[in-house]
Amino acid sequence: MMEDKTVSAQIAALLTPALEKQKKYCRQLGLRDRILTLPLMVAAVLTMLWRDVAGVRELTRILAREGFLWCDRLQVSQQALSKRFLTFPSDLFEKVFKEILPLLAEKWQTRNHRPLPESVQFSLTRFEKIWIADSSTLEALFKKLKSLEDVPKGQLAGKIGVVIDLVTRLPIEIWFKANPKTNDTKFEEDLFKIVEKSTLLLLDRGFYHFSFWLQLIDKKIHFISRIKKGAAIKVEEVFTESYSLRDRKIRLGSGTKITPYIILRLVEVKSGKAWHSYLTSVLEPDILPPYVVADLYRKRWRIEEEFNIVKRLLGLSYLWVGSINGVKLQIWGTWLFYAILIDLGDAVADELSFPFDCISLEMVYRGLYHFGVANQKGKAKDPVKYFAAPENKDLGIVKQLRKNNTKLIVAPFPEEQRNTPEFFFSAKSLTYS
């Protein structure tokens, strides 16, 4: 993929202040102001991701002949660049990544034309934040470096724990464990340190741990998860019992240190012939109605979509280096590029006044090539307006979604509140805290 000057300038404008702020830390690490500096290494990693460069050899050629992003043409040896990928301090990339997240969140706040999902709008009147937490294994090694030619294929290379904001879709935090068989519960302490009061967490069953749940509840942090099959429950109170909905307060656990007693709500919704069950620490249906619980948890799948993009589309499944430091460098670089891609996709959604879920990040990524060609011919100047233009519908930026005429039921007790104004969601009735 060719490099487009307009996109390059926008990335440079976003990252240059963050890179400048790391100069002091670079000196603390004892890094000399040599040729292969932090700005060049960040530009190199982003170029490999953005332009899908086959390896360091090709990257060296590009740098020598045309330069990339904010870096002018420069002659360096392939060996030197390969070695730098293996040893360059990964925490510098981490600092740059975390420096730009608040900037991207501020940009998100300035956009108000793309609607949020109804269950998210409703829940934001009760909670300040809605986060999703999950983990994913990094599967294999990809020989981007000559130094990895003798490394066997398919080698597991650790596990990442990720927290994303369901509202903005931006990552909040990323952790890396070298052991690929690390259980999700090993990320609990990390998650507990960053999550704040009045946050609603959407948790995978990997976080099915009663002691951890009790810690969250004690900190006034709530969650939605799934109940394990065959779990023994004791019904404490019934809120709704109907043909297609069961909403009950239950007690789980055996009273032991490993599985202490815990009081939760079990929401079960029938779809076709199947029942789908959800657990939540929010015990009052008035605060989080049953159908809102179900709809929110279905959106937990968004983090799986993000894993798919960073691992398959951006290549995080195929690691470039064999050292732990190098793996971390690629992780931070990939999520940095992903955050920039999220920002671009959100800007397109806002331009079109479409929900973010309607935008295909994969086609935004692939569409950068077509924008570059149009820009070279003088037919386009702004990637956001280019992607939103009616004549560019064939790029597939907007997903082909099925029409969904189903209204979200927000009544706390649906069987008792049918045919009332409070039964279905209405944005006009919302009051934000």
Side-chain angles (χ1 to χ4, degrees):
M1 185 186 294
M2 72 177 71
E3 180 170 299
D4 175 72
K5 290 183 179 180
T6 301
V7 177
S8 296
Q10 291 178 358
I11 294 175
L14 176 67
L15 291 180
T16 298
L19 293 169
E20 286 293 319
K21 287 185 179 181
Q22 306 313 315
K23 283 186 175 181
K24 182 179 179 181
Y25 186 62
C26 286
R27 289 194 294 270
Q28 290 175 352
L29 293 176
L31 295 177
R32 300 194 307 274
D33 195 14
R34 59 175 106 183
I35 294 174
L36 298 177
T37 59
L38 172 63
L40 189 144
M41 292 304 296
V42 170
V45 170
L46 292 180
T47 298
M48 292 187 82
L49 294 166
W50 172 18
R51 300 175 64 177
D52 196 20
V53 179
V56 174
R57 180 177 296 176
E58 180 60 23
L59 186 67
T60 306
R61 294 186 187 121
I62 294 172
L63 181 58
R65 284 163 176 77
E66 57 188 89
F68 41 64
L69 289 173
W70 47 80
C71 300
D72 296 327
R73 289 183 297 172
L74 181 66
Q75 289 281 350
V76 297
S77 69
Q78 178 190 337
Q79 183 181 15
L81 193 53
S82 293
K83 185 177 179 181
R84 201 65 166 151
F85 269 102
L86 289 166
T87 61
F88 193 83
S90 61
D91 55 345
L92 282 167
F93 271 65
E94 178 183 357
K95 285 178 175 294
V96 173
F97 168 73
K98 291 182 176 178
E99 194 72 44
I100 73 158
L101 288 181
L103 301 178
L104 297 178
E106 286 177 12
K107 292 176 70 177
W108 185 91
Q109 292 287 352
T110 64
R111 303 176 187 132
N112 52 21
H113 296 296
R114 41 96 178 89
L116 292 173
E118 292 179 346
S119 59
V120 172
Q121 290 185 59
F122 182 91
S123 301
L124 286 176
T125 65
R126 272 67 172 168
F127 302 94
E128 292 180 12
K129 301 169 185 174
I130 309 171
W131 289 359
I132 310 174
D134 203 354
S135 65
S136 185
T137 302
L138 304 178
E139 292 96 344
L141 288 171
F142 184 50
K143 299 172 184 176
K144 288 246 179 188
L145 302 182
K146 190 175 181 181
S147 59
L148 296 178
E149 287 179 350
D150 297 327
V151 176
K153 292 183 179 179
Q155 180 176 323
L156 293 171
K159 196 168 189 177
I160 53 173
V162 178
V163 179
I164 66 167
D165 189 327
L166 177 61
V167 182
T168 66
R169 298 300 175 82
L170 291 169
I172 298 296
E173 186 58 272
I174 298 162
W175 305 286
F176 172 77
K177 307 287 186 186
N179 183 0
K181 296 182 181 179
T182 298
N183 193 285
D184 283 2
T185 56
K186 298 297 181 182
F187 294 106
E188 289 177 354
E189 185 178 347
D190 298 315
L191 177 58
F192 191 73
K193 286 178 182 177
I194 67 164
V195 70
E196 298 174 352
K197 170 171 90 165
S198 195
T199 298
L200 180 64
L201 292 173
L202 307 182
L203 300 174
D204 181 71
R205 272 190 291 211
F207 291 94
Y208 198 92
H209 186 195
F210 294 173
S211 296
F212 175 59
W213 288 354
L214 287 168
Q215 282 183 295
L216 292 174
I217 294 169
D218 188 56
K219 198 178 175 180
K220 292 183 170 49
I221 297 161
H222 287 287
F223 61 86
I224 304 174
S225 187
R226 296 291 297 272
I227 192 167
K228 283 191 174 180
K229 191 175 181 180
I233 67 171
K234 180 184 177 183
V235 177
E236 299 279 330
E237 185 177 354
V238 177
F239 298 115
T240 299
E241 183 96 39
S242 70
Y243 171 77
S244 59
L245 174 67
R246 295 194 290 256
D247 187 0
R248 298 171 289 176
K249 184 192 291 186
I250 65 166
R251 190 184 77 180
L252 286 171
S254 58
T256 64
K257 187 175 181 180
I258 298 176
T259 56
Y261 290 128
I262 184 169
I263 303 296
L264 300 170
R265 249 174 84 211
L266 175 61
V267 176
E268 298 172 287
V269 178
K270 191 174 185 181
S271 177
K273 294 182 179 180
W275 283 89
H276 300 279
S277 305
Y278 310 93
L279 285 174
T280 180
S281 59
V282 181
L283 302 181
E284 303 84 359
D286 290 305
I287 296 177
L288 209 58
Y291 285 107
V292 175
V293 170
D295 193 70
L296 276 178
Y297 194 80
R298 282 194 288 269
K299 297 187 186 310
R300 194 205 66 82
W301 188 253
R302 299 296 176 261
I303 198 168
E304 304 294 345
E305 296 172 347
E306 298 208 3
F307 283 145
N308 185 56
I309 290 171
V310 298
K311 292 175 71 175
R312 307 302 171 194
L313 184 64
L314 303 183
L316 195 54
S317 274
Y318 306 99
L319 301 176
W320 306 337
V321 295
S323 69
I324 293 298
N325 178 78
V327 171
K328 289 181 178 179
L329 185 147
Q330 187 185 347
I331 289 171
W332 293 118
T334 303
W335 281 97
L336 172 62
F337 183 76
Y338 175 78
I340 295 171
L341 193 61
I342 282 281
D343 180 64
L344 178 56
D346 186 65
V348 174
D350 195 64
E351 180 73 19
L352 291 167
S353 299
F354 284 177
F356 182 83
D357 287 341
C358 292
I359 303 301
S360 168
L361 283 185
E362 177 177 354
M363 300 316 294
V364 169
Y365 171 75
R366 300 192 186 285
L368 288 172
Y369 167 79
H370 299 287
F371 168 74
V373 172
N375 192 15
Q376 276 195 337
K377 294 180 178 179
K379 296 181 178 180
K381 293 182 179 179
D382 181 350
V384 174
K385 294 192 178 299
Y386 176 78
F387 290 142
E391 62 269 23
N392 294 321
K393 281 184 179 180
D394 62 320
L395 292 178
I397 302 299
V398 179
K399 298 176 184 176
Q400 292 185 349
L401 300 175
R402 296 178 183 175
K403 286 187 177 180
N404 184 9
N405 297 320
T406 305
K407 294 182 179 180
L408 178 66
I409 298 172
V410 295
F413 308 97
E415 296 305 306
E416 301 173 8
Q417 295 174 281
R418 290 186 183 278
N419 303 318
T420 65
E422 297 81 20
F423 190 73
F424 289 117
F425 172 83
S426 172
K428 295 179 181 178
S429 64
L430 296 181
T431 303
Y432 292 89
S433 58

